[in-house]
Amino acid sequence: MVASGWEVYEPDRDVQGSQWALDREGLRRAAVEARADFEARRRESVAEVRAELWLGAGPSRRVRAAAQRAGLRPAEVLAQLAERVVVEEDGTVSVPPFMPSR
């Protein structure tokens, strides 16, 4: 300010500071929009579970083979498998035999 001869700070004359303020406001708006999008997706998927599943080589080959035979993606076969899970009163988990389909 001293070098520029300003007695008081004038934002309109501070080109660099004004640009930084605009950049910060843009980042703030983007963050608010991203959070709103996240919250909307979260509300929409309340009844939905998303999971990442890592399978060993053997089970992975079997799932890929079943998917290929059915013309599906492996994730679609796993989703169908999960839809058919039966949990017994004693806590055992099983899946009745089924044919993956579109």
Side-chain angles (χ1 to χ4, degrees), residues 37-52:
D37 290 344
F38 170 78
E39 290 296 329
R41 283 192 311 276
R42 190 176 65 83
R43 279 190 303 275
E44 291 169 1
S45 66
V46 168
E48 174 178 305
V49 173
R50 294 185 182 270
E52 186 171 319

Side-chain angles (χ1 to χ4, degrees), residues 23-43:
D23 293 346
R24 278 192 308 275
E25 180 59 24
L27 291 171
R28 188 194 68 76
R29 263 194 234 111
V32 168
E33 289 173 13
R35 181 62 185 196
D37 290 344
F38 170 78
E39 290 296 329
R41 283 192 311 276
R42 190 176 65 83
R43 279 190 303 275

